[in-house]
């Protein structure tokens, strides 16, 4: 197992107009690579109590969340994971959220999805290059999250928690 500092955490959710991204302000956090063939990760995020609603509702509904976790440094590429709340622990003035995660998308996968979608749209030459740079900067997050939701929603044992506007 390898343990890393959790630098940032963001919840991703698709909707009819694109993808909502909810930044979860961290007080502290660790992320552990379980180093198994299933690509399992364990996330311990210490957050303020004011954003606990997203996780409490997800835990109550036994749902899943798609998260982007940045490990160690803001310069690192985010890892996209499908997560499930394992445990919520209320501390004196903070909350510890323990999440089980499965790596859904790696950096190389993101680049492949971006390039495939641009080629499918028929772009070539300089237009392809410019669009690739633009989407790479935004990580093509909309298409990727949409694909993850489609994949996971085909498994009847998995449900996703939807974020209510009051939870953001």
């Amino acid at each position: 197992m390898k343990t890393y500092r959790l630098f940032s955490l963001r919840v991703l959710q698709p909707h009819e107009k694109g993808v909502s991204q909810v930044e979860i302000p961290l007080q502290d956090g660790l992320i552990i690579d379980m180093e198994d063939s299933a690509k399992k990760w364990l996330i311990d995020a210490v957050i303020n109590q004011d954003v606990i609603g997203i996780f409490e509702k997800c835990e109550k509904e036994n749902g899943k969340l798609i998260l982007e976790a940045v490990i160690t440094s803001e310069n690192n590429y985010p890892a996209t994971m499908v997560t499930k709340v394992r445990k919520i622990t209320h501390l004196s003035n903070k909350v510890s959220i323990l999440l089980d995660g499965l790596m859904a998308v790696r950096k190389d996968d993101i680049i492949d999805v971006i390039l495939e979608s641009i080629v499918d749209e028929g772009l070539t030459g300089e237009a392809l290059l410019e669009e690739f740079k633009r989407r790479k900067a935004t990580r093509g997050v909309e298409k990727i999250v949409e694909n993850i939701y489609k994949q996971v929603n085909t498994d009847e044992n998995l449900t996703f928690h939807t974020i209510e506007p009051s939870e953001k």
Side-chain angles (χ1 to χ4, degrees):
M1 291 189 292
K2 293 181 184 171
T3 303
Y4 304 93
R5 177 176 169 247
L6 183 60
F7 187 82
S8 70
L9 196 62
R10 184 178 309 130
V11 177
L12 305 175
Q13 179 181 17
H15 50 79
E16 62 281 348
K17 295 181 182 176
V19 174
S20 295
Q21 299 184 29
V22 180
E23 191 73 33
I24 305 297
L26 294 175
Q27 296 298 311
D28 203 357
L30 295 173
I31 183 164
I32 301 168
D33 181 351
M34 302 305 283
E35 294 187 324
D36 60 2
S37 60
K39 302 178 190 175
K40 292 180 187 170
W41 291 73
L42 184 63
I43 301 168
D44 184 9
V46 179
I47 62 173
N48 291 330
Q49 294 180 9
D50 59 343
V51 290
I52 187 66
I54 294 170
F55 300 99
E56 287 177 331
K57 186 173 180 185
C58 183
E59 180 183 45
K60 181 181 175 187
E61 295 174 355
N62 197 30
K64 305 286 184 198
L65 291 170
I66 296 179
L67 301 177
E68 275 191 341
V70 176
I71 301 167
T72 309
S73 164
E74 68 181 314
N75 297 324
N76 287 339
Y77 215 79
T80 306
M81 298 180 188
V82 176
T83 63
K84 178 178 174 69
V85 176
R86 179 190 281 194
K87 185 176 183 181
I88 297 174
T89 305
H90 291 270
L91 308 171
S92 57
N93 60 351
K94 301 173 192 159
V95 180
S96 171
I97 308 295
L98 196 59
L99 301 156
D100 290 315
L102 288 174
M103 188 69 67
V105 182
R106 301 168 59 88
K107 181 179 179 181
D108 291 342
D109 297 332
I110 292 171
I111 291 171
D112 291 348
V113 168
I114 292 169
L115 191 54
E116 286 173 14
S117 67
I118 294 169
V119 169
D120 287 347
E121 292 169 17
L123 295 176
T124 60
E126 191 64 32
L128 182 142
L129 184 58
E130 290 304 314
E131 185 61 17
F132 178 75
K133 287 178 185 178
R134 186 189 71 74
R135 290 188 194 180
K136 191 171 109 178
T138 64
R139 297 177 319 283
V141 73
E142 289 183 14
K143 184 74 169 171
I144 289 164
V145 171
E146 179 183 310
N147 288 341
I148 292 169
Y149 268 85
K150 283 179 185 173
Q151 269 185 320
V152 177
N153 281 335
T154 60
D155 184 337
E156 60 197 41
N157 297 319
L158 300 176
T159 58
F160 280 97
H161 168 67
T162 55
I163 301 169
E164 302 299 325
S166 62
E167 294 177 296
K168 294 180 183 178

